[in-house]
Amino acid sequence: MHRKKLHASPAWLFKTETDELLDPALFRLLKSVHDSGKLTLAAQQTGISYRHAWNLLKRGNDFFGVPLAVKRKGHGTQLSPLGETLLWSEQRIKARLGPQIDSMASELNIQLQQLLAGAHPVLRLHASHGYAVALLPDFSDRVELDLQYTNPTEALRALASGESDLASFHFPACPRLADQVMAIYKHQFDLDNLRVIRFVTRRQGLIIRSDSRGAITGLQDLTRPGVRLINRNRHSGTRILFKLLLDECGITERQLHGAEREEFTHTAVAAYVAAGMADAGFGVAAAAAQFGLEFLDLATEHYLLVCQEERLRQQNIRQLLSLMASPEFLAEIDKLPGYAPDRCGEICTFAELLGGDRQ
């Protein structure tokens, strides 16, 4: 079978009124300068010569009329405020639009495969965005997957209507919180016919910068004046978990400055905090680690896949189960901070899974 696969990524394109373009390589250079603090090392990491790196910065300076980086004797090279703003704008657009573009790329790649190799069954998965589920398309040689990112309500709706073969679902390992989450979605569950494919557990909590470590030690600190929050979108499972944790502390979202601001992925929340636009967000540990941020662990979740029982006989679902239990795939999960395989690929019912948490 042909394995042509396209990848897409969002990016800023800056140009003047006379159509003068700013080289996109500048953003990779800014990221390396930010991480290393040395232009020589940043050039190596970007894959360009030192002279080219210097010229890129100079052209950026000329383009905006303001320096993007500053060399300080004995302190290497540091980004200017404008350089930092440009860097984080690029990081945020990737975090915000990346999952949507991944979904579109998945659709296009499926169309290409159907054209190149002829019509054939493709496994359709509608899932909440997460770092573990995002690994699955990397193993397209093992199972051909059309992965579409959406919220839990829409994922379960697509499963019920037959638009997808699988849906993701996640709920807290804490039985008390799990019961509340299951109650929210109970009208969408056909528990007699649905089967659970176990996948991973993941840690959720507060994402903060290191300079906020002393000031923010728990949810109660989010109510203090001057503490700015970036929230997840209201239909996400993570937002529901966050609200349940707030309820247990006697906190309402009205008490949180910035609770009305929303991002659609864990990555976007972390990028928002890293850019200094908020002091805290709620999301997975892997997102905090991606941006070198601090993480305050507040809850562990089961992230799993669900399908109709009769679907388990499909060849492509059997291929998926084999992949999920394979050493190669489990090794990739082990690389994700805050994630752990949770009897990956095993089949059970919701009653068995929920009952196991109570033992």
Side-chain angles (χ1 to χ4, degrees):
M1 182 180 290
H2 294 276
R3 289 296 175 191
K4 305 293 184 183
K5 190 173 182 180
L6 300 179
H7 297 272
S9 178
W12 288 110
L13 181 64
F14 289 99
K15 65 179 182 179
T16 65
E17 294 178 352
T18 57
D19 287 337
E20 177 191 1
L21 292 176
L22 192 61
D23 191 336
L26 176 64
F27 288 101
R28 298 197 302 274
L29 180 63
L30 292 176
K31 177 68 165 61
S32 295
V33 169
H34 176 272
D35 293 343
S36 69
K38 295 183 179 180
L39 187 57
T40 51
L41 185 56
Q44 293 174 8
Q45 293 173 345
T46 309
I48 60 178
S49 68
Y50 177 82
R51 182 176 182 179
H52 187 193
W54 181 250
N55 286 335
L56 274 179
L57 289 178
K58 185 177 184 303
R59 285 201 294 271
N61 296 349
D62 294 340
F63 187 93
F64 289 103
V66 178
L68 301 183
V70 179
K71 293 188 69 175
R72 291 190 172 94
K73 189 173 182 180
H75 296 281
T77 303
Q78 295 179 325
L79 296 184
S80 68
L82 176 60
E84 289 279 353
T85 297
L86 289 176
L87 169 62
W88 289 116
S89 69
E90 200 246 2
Q91 294 292 309
R92 286 176 54 231
I93 194 173
K94 285 183 176 180
R96 180 177 290 176
L97 300 181
Q100 299 174 50
I101 291 178
D102 287 345
S103 293
M104 295 172 65
S106 177
E107 291 178 348
L108 177 57
N109 280 312
I110 293 304
Q111 291 175 343
L112 288 176
Q113 290 303 315
Q114 298 286 1
L115 288 171
L116 294 171
H120 56 277
V122 174
L123 191 59
R124 302 164 300 168
L125 168 59
H126 287 221
S128 300
H129 184 258
Y131 286 72
V133 74
L135 295 173
L136 291 172
D138 294 340
F139 292 82
S140 57
D141 59 323
R142 302 279 295 272
V143 60
E144 196 168 357
L145 188 70
D146 180 12
L147 173 58
Q148 300 295 315
Y149 289 118
T150 186
N151 62 61
T153 297
E154 291 300 323
L156 292 171
R157 186 176 298 156
L159 181 67
S161 68
E163 296 174 49
S164 69
D165 303 296
L166 295 158
S168 75
F169 189 68
H170 52 96
F171 61 86
C174 169
R176 182 182 64 260
L177 295 175
D179 287 343
Q180 295 180 68
V181 170
M182 293 297 292
I184 293 171
Y185 295 99
K186 64 182 179 181
H187 65 286
Q188 291 190 269
F189 283 120
D190 179 4
L191 294 180
D192 291 333
N193 294 316
L194 280 183
R195 291 297 177 265
V196 172
I197 300 174
R198 299 187 69 148
F199 193 7
V200 295
T201 59
R202 63 183 190 179
R203 289 160 45 209
Q204 293 248 45
L206 291 180
I207 297 172
I208 62 174
R209 294 186 306 281
S210 57
D211 58 8
S212 299
R213 189 186 312 168
I216 301 176
T217 60
L219 293 174
Q220 200 66 49
D221 291 320
L222 300 182
T223 65
R224 291 193 294 103
V227 175
R228 302 164 298 163
L229 175 74
I230 177 63
N231 219 342
R232 279 296 305 277
N233 55 302
R234 66 182 61 255
H235 297 298
S236 68
T238 292
R239 175 72 170 269
I240 290 173
L241 172 60
F242 181 53
K243 188 175 185 306
L244 292 177
L245 292 173
L246 291 175
D247 289 344
E248 289 203 325
C249 295
I251 301 170
T252 67
E253 289 194 341
R254 291 192 300 274
Q255 295 174 260
L256 308 181
H257 177 57
E260 72 283 356
R261 293 195 298 262
E262 300 179 347
E263 286 287 0
F264 283 81
T265 68
H266 299 279
T267 312
V269 165
Y272 205 97
V273 174
M277 300 174 67
D279 301 299
F282 186 80
V284 295
Q290 180 178 343
F291 291 94
L293 299 169
E294 300 285 326
F295 178 76
L296 304 180
D297 193 356
L298 295 178
T300 297
E301 277 190 321
H302 292 288
Y303 186 108
L304 44 89
L305 308 181
V306 296
C307 68
Q308 304 292 340
E309 184 178 17
E310 63 269 19
R311 297 280 189 185
L312 294 173
R313 295 189 289 270
Q314 291 181 194
Q315 174 65 19
N316 49 17
I317 286 191
R318 292 199 297 270
Q319 291 172 339
L320 176 66
L321 298 178
S322 175
L323 166 63
M324 292 172 70
S326 68
E328 299 84 2
F329 187 71
L330 294 176
E332 292 303 309
I333 292 177
D334 284 337
K335 296 176 184 177
L336 298 175
Y339 278 81
D342 182 29
R343 295 163 63 177
C344 213
E346 290 188 19
I347 308 298
C348 68
T349 64
F350 272 108
E352 290 167 340
L353 182 59
L354 292 167
D357 283 342
R358 288 165 171 76
Q359 294 176 1

